[in-house]
mmCIF file of all heavy atoms in Angstrom:
data_model
loop_
_atom_site.group_PDB
_atom_site.id
_atom_site.type_symbol
_atom_site.label_atom_id
_atom_site.label_comp_id
_atom_site.label_asym_id
_atom_site.label_seq_id
_atom_site.Cartn_x
_atom_site.Cartn_y
_atom_site.Cartn_z
ATOM 1 N N CYS A 104 -6.846 5.828 21.879
ATOM 2 C CA CYS A 104 -5.453 6.266 21.774
ATOM 3 C C CYS A 104 -4.666 5.486 22.826
ATOM 4 O O CYS A 104 -5.171 5.227 23.922
ATOM 5 C CB CYS A 104 -5.344 7.767 22.020
ATOM 6 S SG CYS A 104 -3.633 8.336 21.932
ATOM 7 N N GLY A 105 -3.438 5.120 22.480
ATOM 8 C CA GLY A 105 -2.618 4.358 23.414
ATOM 9 C C GLY A 105 -1.479 5.191 24.003
ATOM 10 O O GLY A 105 -0.973 6.118 23.371
ATOM 11 N N PHE A 106 -1.104 4.837 25.245
ATOM 12 C CA PHE A 106 -0.021 5.532 25.953
ATOM 13 C C PHE A 106 0.854 4.474 26.606
ATOM 14 O O PHE A 106 0.366 3.696 27.440
ATOM 15 C CB PHE A 106 -0.596 6.455 27.043
ATOM 16 C CG PHE A 106 -1.602 7.425 26.508
ATOM 17 C CD1 PHE A 106 -2.945 7.064 26.390
ATOM 18 C CD2 PHE A 106 -1.213 8.688 26.096
ATOM 19 C CE1 PHE A 106 -3.875 7.944 25.870
ATOM 20 C CE2 PHE A 106 -2.143 9.582 25.581
ATOM 21 C CZ PHE A 106 -3.484 9.208 25.465
ATOM 22 N N ASP A 107 2.109 4.423 26.233
ATOM 23 C CA ASP A 107 2.991 3.410 26.806
ATOM 24 C C ASP A 107 3.527 3.852 28.169
ATOM 25 O O ASP A 107 4.039 4.981 28.295
ATOM 26 C CB ASP A 107 4.183 3.162 25.865
ATOM 27 C CG ASP A 107 3.853 2.100 24.834
ATOM 28 O OD1 ASP A 107 2.821 1.425 24.986
ATOM 29 O OD2 ASP A 107 4.632 1.954 23.877
ATOM 30 N N SER A 112 4.351 8.734 34.762
ATOM 31 C CA SER A 112 3.444 9.874 34.673
ATOM 32 C C SER A 112 3.227 10.259 33.212
ATOM 33 O O SER A 112 4.113 10.061 32.371
ATOM 34 C CB SER A 112 4.057 11.068 35.420
ATOM 35 O OG SER A 112 3.394 12.260 35.098
ATOM 36 N N LEU A 113 2.058 10.818 32.940
ATOM 37 C CA LEU A 113 1.828 11.437 31.632
ATOM 38 C C LEU A 113 2.603 12.742 31.595
ATOM 39 O O LEU A 113 3.017 13.260 32.636
ATOM 40 C CB LEU A 113 0.342 11.748 31.449
ATOM 41 C CG LEU A 113 -0.618 10.559 31.391
ATOM 42 C CD1 LEU A 113 -2.046 11.056 31.558
ATOM 43 C CD2 LEU A 113 -0.485 9.802 30.079
ATOM 44 N N HIS A 117 1.332 14.402 26.007
ATOM 45 C CA HIS A 117 0.205 13.465 25.982
ATOM 46 C C HIS A 117 -1.141 14.170 26.044
ATOM 47 O O HIS A 117 -2.158 13.598 25.709
ATOM 48 C CB HIS A 117 0.285 12.511 27.191
ATOM 49 C CG HIS A 117 1.433 11.580 27.126
ATOM 50 N ND1 HIS A 117 2.147 11.184 28.219
ATOM 51 C CD2 HIS A 117 2.023 10.946 26.079
ATOM 52 C CE1 HIS A 117 3.098 10.365 27.859
ATOM 53 N NE2 HIS A 117 3.057 10.210 26.566
ATOM 54 N N LEU A 118 -1.109 15.407 26.546
ATOM 55 C CA LEU A 118 -2.377 16.115 26.693
ATOM 56 C C LEU A 118 -3.085 16.300 25.355
ATOM 57 O O LEU A 118 -4.308 16.321 25.304
ATOM 58 C CB LEU A 118 -2.137 17.510 27.290
ATOM 59 C CG LEU A 118 -2.329 17.684 28.773
ATOM 60 C CD1 LEU A 118 -2.103 19.136 29.145
ATOM 61 C CD2 LEU A 118 -3.730 17.254 29.216
ATOM 62 N N PRO A 120 -3.231 14.247 22.442
ATOM 63 C CA PRO A 120 -4.140 13.157 22.076
ATOM 64 C C PRO A 120 -5.285 12.996 23.086
ATOM 65 O O PRO A 120 -6.396 12.648 22.701
ATOM 66 C CB PRO A 120 -3.244 11.914 22.043
ATOM 67 C CG PRO A 120 -1.907 12.324 22.514
ATOM 68 C CD PRO A 120 -1.833 13.800 22.518
ATOM 69 N N VAL A 121 -5.029 13.314 24.367
ATOM 70 C CA VAL A 121 -6.130 13.233 25.344
ATOM 71 C C VAL A 121 -7.195 14.275 24.996
ATOM 72 O O VAL A 121 -8.398 13.996 25.040
ATOM 73 C CB VAL A 121 -5.619 13.425 26.793
ATOM 74 C CG1 VAL A 121 -6.777 13.587 27.769
ATOM 75 C CG2 VAL A 121 -4.757 12.244 27.229
ATOM 76 N N LEU A 124 -9.317 12.864 22.364
ATOM 77 C CA LEU A 124 -10.316 11.920 22.895
ATOM 78 C C LEU A 124 -11.453 12.684 23.577
ATOM 79 O O LEU A 124 -12.629 12.354 23.415
ATOM 80 C CB LEU A 124 -9.670 10.959 23.900
ATOM 81 C CG LEU A 124 -8.693 9.909 23.352
ATOM 82 C CD1 LEU A 124 -8.119 9.060 24.495
ATOM 83 C CD2 LEU A 124 -9.347 8.996 22.320
ATOM 84 N N LEU A 125 -11.097 13.707 24.343
ATOM 85 C CA LEU A 125 -12.136 14.454 25.064
ATOM 86 C C LEU A 125 -13.093 15.149 24.087
ATOM 87 O O LEU A 125 -14.301 15.204 24.328
ATOM 88 C CB LEU A 125 -11.510 15.486 26.016
ATOM 89 C CG LEU A 125 -10.774 14.899 27.234
ATOM 90 C CD1 LEU A 125 -10.042 15.984 28.016
ATOM 91 C CD2 LEU A 125 -11.748 14.159 28.164
ATOM 92 N N ILE A 135 -11.658 5.270 24.295
ATOM 93 C CA ILE A 135 -10.881 4.315 25.089
ATOM 94 C C ILE A 135 -9.442 4.816 25.158
ATOM 95 O O ILE A 135 -8.828 5.118 24.132
ATOM 96 C CB ILE A 135 -10.886 2.913 24.429
ATOM 97 C CG1 ILE A 135 -12.316 2.409 24.239
ATOM 98 C CG2 ILE A 135 -10.081 1.923 25.267
ATOM 99 C CD1 ILE A 135 -12.411 1.099 23.457
ATOM 100 N N ALA A 136 -8.944 4.935 26.375
ATOM 101 C CA ALA A 136 -7.517 5.226 26.547
ATOM 102 C C ALA A 136 -6.862 3.899 26.899
ATOM 103 O O ALA A 136 -7.275 3.233 27.848
ATOM 104 C CB ALA A 136 -7.317 6.248 27.652
ATOM 105 N N VAL A 137 -5.872 3.507 26.094
ATOM 106 C CA VAL A 137 -5.198 2.229 26.341
ATOM 107 C C VAL A 137 -3.831 2.486 26.959
ATOM 108 O O VAL A 137 -3.031 3.250 26.412
ATOM 109 C CB VAL A 137 -5.025 1.440 25.016
ATOM 110 C CG1 VAL A 137 -4.099 0.240 25.207
ATOM 111 C CG2 VAL A 137 -6.383 0.976 24.501
ATOM 112 N N VAL A 138 -3.597 1.896 28.104
ATOM 113 C CA VAL A 138 -2.261 1.938 28.685
ATOM 114 C C VAL A 138 -1.515 0.722 28.144
ATOM 115 O O VAL A 138 -2.018 -0.398 28.219
ATOM 116 C CB VAL A 138 -2.345 1.922 30.235
ATOM 117 C CG1 VAL A 138 -0.960 1.796 30.833
ATOM 118 C CG2 VAL A 138 -3.015 3.192 30.728
ATOM 119 N N GLY A 139 -0.340 0.978 27.570
ATOM 120 C CA GLY A 139 0.384 -0.096 26.885
ATOM 121 C C GLY A 139 1.231 -0.946 27.818
ATOM 122 O O GLY A 139 2.457 -0.976 27.687
ATOM 123 N N ALA A 167 2.488 1.703 34.835
ATOM 124 C CA ALA A 167 1.135 1.679 34.262
ATOM 125 C C ALA A 167 0.135 2.219 35.283
ATOM 126 O O ALA A 167 -0.820 2.914 34.927
ATOM 127 C CB ALA A 167 0.764 0.264 33.835
ATOM 128 N N ARG A 168 0.380 1.938 36.571
ATOM 129 C CA ARG A 168 -0.520 2.450 37.615
ATOM 130 C C ARG A 168 -0.518 3.974 37.613
ATOM 131 O O ARG A 168 -1.546 4.621 37.722
ATOM 132 C CB ARG A 168 -0.096 1.926 39.001
ATOM 133 C CG ARG A 168 -0.686 0.572 39.331
ATOM 134 C CD ARG A 168 -0.544 0.276 40.831
ATOM 135 N NE ARG A 168 0.837 -0.022 41.207
ATOM 136 C CZ ARG A 168 1.405 -1.216 41.086
ATOM 137 N NH1 ARG A 168 0.721 -2.229 40.611
ATOM 138 N NH2 ARG A 168 2.661 -1.420 41.433
ATOM 139 N N GLY A 169 0.690 4.544 37.475
ATOM 140 C CA GLY A 169 0.809 6.006 37.452
ATOM 141 C C GLY A 169 0.061 6.600 36.269
ATOM 142 O O GLY A 169 -0.636 7.612 36.390
ATOM 143 N N LEU A 170 0.197 5.972 35.115
ATOM 144 C CA LEU A 170 -0.474 6.485 33.913
ATOM 145 C C LEU A 170 -1.986 6.378 34.029
ATOM 146 O O LEU A 170 -2.722 7.286 33.658
ATOM 147 C CB LEU A 170 0.004 5.681 32.685
ATOM 148 C CG LEU A 170 0.779 6.478 31.648
ATOM 149 C CD1 LEU A 170 1.972 7.166 32.280
ATOM 150 C CD2 LEU A 170 1.237 5.596 30.497
ATOM 151 N N ARG A 171 -2.410 5.228 34.562
ATOM 152 C CA ARG A 171 -3.866 5.039 34.720
ATOM 153 C C ARG A 171 -4.440 6.109 35.632
ATOM 154 O O ARG A 171 -5.463 6.722 35.335
ATOM 155 C CB ARG A 171 -4.160 3.657 35.312
ATOM 156 C CG ARG A 171 -4.415 2.600 34.261
ATOM 157 C CD ARG A 171 -5.163 1.413 34.836
ATOM 158 N NE ARG A 171 -4.479 0.822 35.974
ATOM 159 C CZ ARG A 171 -3.506 -0.083 35.866
ATOM 160 N NH1 ARG A 171 -3.112 -0.491 34.682
ATOM 161 N NH2 ARG A 171 -2.918 -0.573 36.938
ATOM 162 N N ALA A 172 -3.724 6.366 36.749
ATOM 163 C CA ALA A 172 -4.218 7.376 37.695
ATOM 164 C C ALA A 172 -4.296 8.736 36.996
ATOM 165 O O ALA A 172 -5.261 9.490 37.163
ATOM 166 C CB ALA A 172 -3.303 7.442 38.910
ATOM 167 N N GLY A 173 -3.284 9.053 36.206
ATOM 168 C CA GLY A 173 -3.261 10.338 35.505
ATOM 169 C C GLY A 173 -4.407 10.451 34.511
ATOM 170 O O GLY A 173 -5.073 11.491 34.428
ATOM 171 N N LEU A 174 -4.646 9.384 33.773
ATOM 172 C CA LEU A 174 -5.728 9.419 32.775
ATOM 173 C C LEU A 174 -7.080 9.529 33.466
ATOM 174 O O LEU A 174 -7.953 10.294 33.043
ATOM 175 C CB LEU A 174 -5.674 8.156 31.902
ATOM 176 C CG LEU A 174 -4.530 8.152 30.885
ATOM 177 C CD1 LEU A 174 -4.247 6.757 30.352
ATOM 178 C CD2 LEU A 174 -4.826 9.102 29.728
ATOM 179 N N GLU A 175 -7.240 8.772 34.570
ATOM 180 C CA GLU A 175 -8.510 8.850 35.314
ATOM 181 C C GLU A 175 -8.766 10.268 35.801
ATOM 182 O O GLU A 175 -9.870 10.794 35.730
ATOM 183 C CB GLU A 175 -8.484 7.907 36.514
ATOM 184 C CG GLU A 175 -9.023 6.544 36.176
ATOM 185 C CD GLU A 175 -8.670 5.500 37.221
ATOM 186 O OE1 GLU A 175 -8.236 5.872 38.331
ATOM 187 O OE2 GLU A 175 -8.807 4.306 36.901
ATOM 188 N N ARG A 176 -7.695 10.902 36.285
ATOM 189 C CA ARG A 176 -7.833 12.272 36.798
ATOM 190 C C ARG A 176 -8.273 13.217 35.683
ATOM 191 O O ARG A 176 -9.160 14.042 35.853
ATOM 192 C CB ARG A 176 -6.499 12.730 37.381
ATOM 193 C CG ARG A 176 -6.625 13.338 38.729
ATOM 194 C CD ARG A 176 -5.361 13.793 39.389
ATOM 195 N NE ARG A 176 -4.158 13.723 38.609
ATOM 196 C CZ ARG A 176 -3.186 12.839 38.796
ATOM 197 N NH1 ARG A 176 -3.318 11.918 39.723
ATOM 198 N NH2 ARG A 176 -2.101 12.855 38.062
ATOM 199 N N LEU A 177 -7.635 13.077 34.509
ATOM 200 C CA LEU A 177 -7.975 13.976 33.404
ATOM 201 C C LEU A 177 -9.434 13.814 32.977
ATOM 202 O O LEU A 177 -10.166 14.800 32.837
ATOM 203 C CB LEU A 177 -7.068 13.707 32.201
ATOM 204 C CG LEU A 177 -5.648 14.231 32.307
ATOM 205 C CD1 LEU A 177 -4.795 13.737 31.145
ATOM 206 C CD2 LEU A 177 -5.650 15.761 32.313
ATOM 207 N N PHE A 178 -9.851 12.543 32.796
ATOM 208 C CA PHE A 178 -11.239 12.328 32.354
ATOM 209 C C PHE A 178 -12.220 12.760 33.445
ATOM 210 O O PHE A 178 -13.270 13.316 33.147
ATOM 211 C CB PHE A 178 -11.452 10.865 31.938
ATOM 212 C CG PHE A 178 -10.871 10.578 30.574
ATOM 213 C CD1 PHE A 178 -9.628 9.984 30.438
ATOM 214 C CD2 PHE A 178 -11.560 10.948 29.428
ATOM 215 C CE1 PHE A 178 -9.080 9.747 29.176
ATOM 216 C CE2 PHE A 178 -11.021 10.728 28.169
ATOM 217 C CZ PHE A 178 -9.775 10.122 28.032
ATOM 218 N N GLY A 179 -11.851 12.504 34.717
ATOM 219 C CA GLY A 179 -12.715 12.896 35.831
ATOM 220 C C GLY A 179 -12.819 14.415 35.943
ATOM 221 O O GLY A 179 -13.922 14.965 36.063
ATOM 222 N N ASN A 180 -11.685 15.101 35.900
ATOM 223 C CA ASN A 180 -11.719 16.569 36.001
ATOM 224 C C ASN A 180 -12.505 17.166 34.843
ATOM 225 O O ASN A 180 -13.249 18.131 35.013
ATOM 226 C CB ASN A 180 -10.297 17.146 35.983
ATOM 227 C CG ASN A 180 -9.586 16.936 37.312
ATOM 228 O OD1 ASN A 180 -10.229 16.681 38.327
ATOM 229 N ND2 ASN A 180 -8.267 17.031 37.300
ATOM 230 N N HIS A 181 -12.309 16.576 33.666
ATOM 231 C CA HIS A 181 -13.046 17.106 32.514
ATOM 232 C C HIS A 181 -14.544 16.976 32.747
ATOM 233 O O HIS A 181 -15.305 17.921 32.558
ATOM 234 C CB HIS A 181 -12.645 16.381 31.216
ATOM 235 C CG HIS A 181 -13.589 16.690 30.094
ATOM 236 N ND1 HIS A 181 -14.571 15.826 29.686
ATOM 237 C CD2 HIS A 181 -13.745 17.823 29.344
ATOM 238 C CE1 HIS A 181 -15.276 16.396 28.723
ATOM 239 N NE2 HIS A 181 -14.796 17.606 28.494
ATOM 240 N N ALA A 196 -16.219 6.902 28.598
ATOM 241 C CA ALA A 196 -14.751 6.826 28.558
ATOM 242 C C ALA A 196 -14.316 5.567 29.287
ATOM 243 O O ALA A 196 -14.797 5.289 30.392
ATOM 244 C CB ALA A 196 -14.134 8.049 29.216
ATOM 245 N N GLU A 197 -13.444 4.792 28.648
ATOM 246 C CA GLU A 197 -12.960 3.548 29.266
ATOM 247 C C GLU A 197 -11.450 3.549 29.296
ATOM 248 O O GLU A 197 -10.805 4.130 28.402
ATOM 249 C CB GLU A 197 -13.412 2.367 28.420
ATOM 250 C CG GLU A 197 -14.559 1.596 29.004
ATOM 251 C CD GLU A 197 -14.866 0.373 28.160
ATOM 252 O OE1 GLU A 197 -15.365 0.557 27.036
ATOM 253 O OE2 GLU A 197 -14.583 -0.731 28.625
ATOM 254 N N LEU A 198 -10.922 2.875 30.277
ATOM 255 C CA LEU A 198 -9.472 2.789 30.431
ATOM 256 C C LEU A 198 -9.099 1.311 30.395
ATOM 257 O O LEU A 198 -9.584 0.536 31.205
ATOM 258 C CB LEU A 198 -9.135 3.410 31.789
ATOM 259 C CG LEU A 198 -7.720 3.834 32.063
ATOM 260 C CD1 LEU A 198 -7.209 4.734 30.966
ATOM 261 C CD2 LEU A 198 -7.669 4.567 33.401
ATOM 262 N N LEU A 199 -8.267 0.921 29.422
ATOM 263 C CA LEU A 199 -7.895 -0.487 29.291
ATOM 264 C C LEU A 199 -6.384 -0.617 29.255
ATOM 265 O O LEU A 199 -5.673 0.359 28.994
ATOM 266 C CB LEU A 199 -8.490 -1.067 27.995
ATOM 267 C CG LEU A 199 -10.018 -0.985 27.823
ATOM 268 C CD1 LEU A 199 -10.418 -1.492 26.437
ATOM 269 C CD2 LEU A 199 -10.740 -1.787 28.902
ATOM 270 N N LEU A 320 2.577 15.569 34.256
ATOM 271 C CA LEU A 320 1.231 15.881 34.751
ATOM 272 C C LEU A 320 1.006 15.305 36.142
ATOM 273 O O LEU A 320 -0.010 15.567 36.768
ATOM 274 C CB LEU A 320 0.168 15.329 33.796
ATOM 275 C CG LEU A 320 0.266 15.775 32.342
ATOM 276 C CD1 LEU A 320 -0.997 15.377 31.580
ATOM 277 C CD2 LEU A 320 0.483 17.286 32.216
ATOM 278 N N LEU A 384 -7.678 21.448 34.380
ATOM 279 C CA LEU A 384 -7.956 20.143 33.775
ATOM 280 C C LEU A 384 -7.052 19.070 34.391
ATOM 281 O O LEU A 384 -7.481 17.960 34.674
ATOM 282 C CB LEU A 384 -7.733 20.218 32.251
ATOM 283 C CG LEU A 384 -7.965 18.918 31.469
ATOM 284 C CD1 LEU A 384 -9.431 18.500 31.546
ATOM 285 C CD2 LEU A 384 -7.542 19.061 30.011
#
Side-chain angles (χ1 to χ4, degrees):
C104 179
F106 305 86
D107 272 348
S112 166
L113 295 166
H117 292 144
L118 263 182
V121 170
L124 290 179
L125 291 173
I135 303 174
V137 169
V138 173
R168 274 195 288 277
L170 244 56
R171 267 200 304 275
L174 286 163
E175 269 165 14
R176 228 179 6 253
L177 284 172
F178 283 99
N180 285 342
H181 167 258
E197 256 185 290
L198 198 52
L199 302 175
L320 304 191
L384 179 65

